[in-house]
Amino acid sequence: MQLKALEKQLSFLREIDRLKTVVRQSPLLDKSRKENSAEHSWHLAMYALLLNEYACGPVNTHRVIQMLLLHDVVEIDVGDFPIHSGSSSELQTEQESRAAARLFGLLPQQQGNELLALWQEFERAETEDAKFAKALDRFQPLLINVFTGGGTWTENSVSLEQVFSRYGPVIKTGAPLLWTVCEQWVTQHFAGQASGTSKQAN
């Protein structure tokens, strides 16, 4: 029985190696290339480890890290859905739920059910742990866009109002102080963009 469980666990670990091949829209901070989803998940786990004091309330950092390591494994099957893609949320939810059932179903049943429950908790974003995890999942790409001079915002002609509406509620709910910092960054970024456009027009 133990060997059978190990076989399933190793099968899952081999399968999630494919997450390294899923390329996201966000660039690395040095702009040398786009990040992949495995790198994104690892980086978010580090954010949770270091920034847990900024959560909206008491959180279990271990559970938050677990959620962040798991939250994007479904992209192995469905790919990345960028926040600015305009894709159907209903279709995305359906496809990701099916992917989660397949992937976590590779594991021994009890372990697979536990990880699936954590993934679903993250998706619902109702608990304090999940709200903080969701906030970090928005915070990291926002930081990248600001510190790469616009990143995906520039590529997709995203406005200040769109950034506030798409990132603000989630970050503010899960990590209010981080959103205060984000507001300053975003306002300064778009003010600089407007200034640059004005100079070009003159």
Side-chain angles (χ1 to χ4, degrees):
M1 287 294 290
Q2 194 170 9
L3 280 177
K4 186 71 173 175
L6 177 59
E7 287 175 9
K8 290 184 175 182
Q9 290 164 328
L10 294 178
S11 175
F12 176 80
L13 290 171
R14 289 195 302 272
E15 184 71 1
I16 64 170
D17 186 74
R18 294 171 55 201
L19 196 61
K20 300 171 188 175
T21 70
V22 179
V23 179
R24 293 168 49 81
Q25 293 299 305
S26 297
L28 301 185
L29 285 172
D30 69 1
K31 304 183 193 178
S32 61
R33 63 174 174 83
K34 304 286 189 180
E35 72 173 354
N36 66 55
S37 290
E39 293 168 330
H40 168 69
S41 298
W42 162 79
H43 210 185
L44 285 180
M46 291 297 295
Y47 275 57
L49 182 64
L50 297 178
L51 302 179
N52 59 77
E53 65 190 282
Y54 304 109
C56 53
V59 294
N60 182 327
T61 304
H62 179 68
R63 294 187 78 252
V64 174
I65 289 173
Q66 286 180 308
M67 285 182 199
L68 292 171
L69 289 173
L70 296 170
H71 81 289
D72 273 348
V73 295
V74 294
E75 293 182 2
I76 290 168
D77 285 2
V78 302
D80 180 38
F81 286 91
I83 191 171
H84 309 299
S85 68
S87 58
S88 164
S89 59
E90 292 81 9
L91 177 62
Q92 180 181 348
T93 298
E94 179 186 337
Q95 291 180 344
E96 290 184 345
S97 295
R98 193 159 50 241
R102 183 189 80 80
L103 288 159
F104 296 122
L106 296 173
L107 289 162
Q109 185 173 8
Q110 182 177 343
Q111 190 172 42
N113 288 343
E114 289 172 357
L115 297 190
L116 177 61
L118 273 171
W119 181 84
Q120 291 169 335
E121 181 180 342
F122 172 85
E123 288 297 312
R124 288 192 297 267
E126 294 172 350
T127 65
E128 296 302 298
D129 291 347
K131 288 175 185 175
F132 183 51
K134 278 279 190 182
L136 294 177
D137 191 34
R138 288 286 193 275
F139 179 67
Q140 187 249 13
L142 183 150
L143 181 152
I144 288 174
N145 281 320
V146 168
F147 286 91
T148 56
T152 59
W153 298 342
T154 301
E155 291 172 8
N156 296 281
S157 302
V158 174
S159 69
L160 172 68
E161 293 73 21
Q162 287 174 312
V163 171
F164 278 161
S165 65
R166 292 175 181 181
Y167 293 83
V170 175
I171 299 175
K172 191 173 183 179
T173 297
L177 186 57
L178 293 184
W179 177 244
T180 300
V181 174
C182 289
E183 282 186 300
Q184 295 171 357
W185 286 346
V186 171
T187 301
Q188 289 170 1
H189 167 75
F190 280 95
Q193 295 288 100
S195 174
T197 303
S198 176
K199 286 178 182 177
Q200 288 177 6
N202 292 333

